[in-house]
Amino acid sequence: MIIDGKPTRTEIPSYDMSSAREAILNCYCHRDFFRKSNIKIEFFDDRCEIISPGGFFDGLTLEDALNGLQSFRNENLVKLLYKLEYVENYASGLTRIFQNSKELDIVPEIYTSLNMFKVTLPNKNYEALYLNPEKHIEDNKVKSNGRVNSDINEEDFQLENQKDIEILEIIRDNPGIRLKEIAPKLKSKYPSINSNIIYKRIKILDSYIEFRGIPKKGG
């Protein structure tokens, strides 16, 4: 998300929606319905994993599929999705994922075995959000006199990291809270979070926080 002074904010999706759509449709077209397992879509900081039960069908390989060779485990379902215009062209989904990703300068990963087929899509915003967030926030930050003690509005603060928003909300709602008391409030949602992580985030969010009392100890 970029806020540049215009009436509306500019959204920067973390994932190419066309590639995600193709990967999810691929799951429904080719999953093994005899396996007692569900299609899984999991999000991590740096990637999204889309997992389908069952690997390639009838001896097909990844190279074969990328070269346009067809092999249908669920032929009637594929035909139905094609008639409903969810599927645009038989055996073109994986090729389209790689083409879209190449245009965006990102590299998807494909893993396949007898039991599963997994597409991993990189988070396009990962570097900006997690590897160099200080520069990202500084480059896009809205100049404002607002402080945490006033209402926090995601459109007023250039914070794409959900943890940062929640940290600020905790400080706002708990005046005088100490740094070591913040992590336990987030532990259920972010099990790996600790006081060291909070400290690093607080340093980045310094311009949004009004410190009172002993420096850097209270909210």
Side-chain angles (χ1 to χ4, degrees):
M1 179 178 70
I2 295 177
I3 303 176
D4 53 9
K6 297 179 181 179
T8 58
R9 61 186 182 186
T10 301
E11 299 286 348
I12 305 178
S14 293
Y15 300 96
D16 175 55
M17 292 297 101
S18 178
S19 295
R21 175 183 179 275
E22 293 294 340
I24 294 170
L25 279 172
N26 184 76
C27 290
Y28 284 98
C29 286
H30 305 298
R31 67 154 294 169
D32 186 348
F33 284 95
F34 289 99
R35 295 181 182 274
K36 295 182 179 180
S37 182
N38 296 320
I39 293 170
K40 294 175 63 178
I41 303 175
E42 297 183 309
F43 289 92
F44 302 89
D45 288 344
D46 61 337
R47 68 194 187 281
C48 170
E49 294 183 354
I50 302 171
I51 303 171
S52 176
F56 279 117
F57 179 66
D58 198 25
L60 196 72
T61 66
L62 177 58
E63 183 179 3
D64 293 334
L66 291 175
N67 284 316
L69 188 62
Q70 302 174 349
S71 180
F72 303 122
R73 176 181 278 116
N74 308 304
E75 185 173 3
N76 290 334
L77 178 57
V78 172
K79 289 179 179 178
L80 175 61
L81 291 173
Y82 178 76
K83 289 183 178 180
L84 293 174
E85 298 184 352
Y86 285 106
V87 176
E88 298 174 9
N89 191 13
Y90 289 1
S92 64
L94 287 179
T95 302
R96 193 173 292 112
I97 290 173
F98 277 92
Q99 287 176 343
N100 293 341
S101 299
K102 185 176 181 180
E103 293 173 2
L104 297 169
D105 197 27
I106 57 176
V107 182
E109 295 181 6
I110 305 292
Y111 171 81
T112 182
S113 69
L114 291 175
N115 300 313
M116 66 180 292
F117 184 89
K118 178 170 71 174
V119 177
T120 300
L121 301 175
N123 181 346
K124 296 186 294 182
N125 294 323
Y126 174 69
E127 182 175 357
L129 289 177
Y130 296 98
L131 300 185
N132 196 4
E134 296 94 336
K135 183 178 185 301
H136 181 65
I137 291 176
E138 188 62 33
D139 288 346
N140 298 288
K141 185 167 55 181
V142 172
K143 302 303 180 182
S144 170
N145 293 324
R147 293 294 182 184
V148 175
N149 291 349
S150 60
D151 289 340
I152 294 174
N153 186 326
E154 291 182 43
E155 294 188 8
D156 291 335
F157 295 98
Q158 184 51 41
L159 300 171
E160 295 182 50
N161 188 333
Q162 183 62 27
K163 293 189 188 73
D164 289 346
I165 295 172
E166 294 182 26
I167 289 171
L168 290 179
E169 289 176 339
I170 288 173
I171 296 173
R172 178 198 62 190
D173 296 338
N174 299 271
I177 191 171
R178 294 182 177 276
L179 185 148
K180 65 180 181 180
E181 298 171 335
I182 298 176
K185 294 181 178 293
L186 295 169
K187 203 72 174 177
S188 61
K189 187 171 183 180
Y190 306 106
S192 62
I193 202 164
N194 55 47
S195 294
N196 289 332
I197 294 175
I198 295 293
Y199 176 73
K200 291 177 181 178
R201 302 313 303 168
I202 290 293
K203 289 183 66 177
I204 294 170
L205 301 171
D206 182 81
S207 62
Y208 298 135
I209 301 172
E210 180 181 344
F211 291 96
R212 297 175 182 175
I214 300 174
K216 308 302 182 184
K217 296 294 185 182

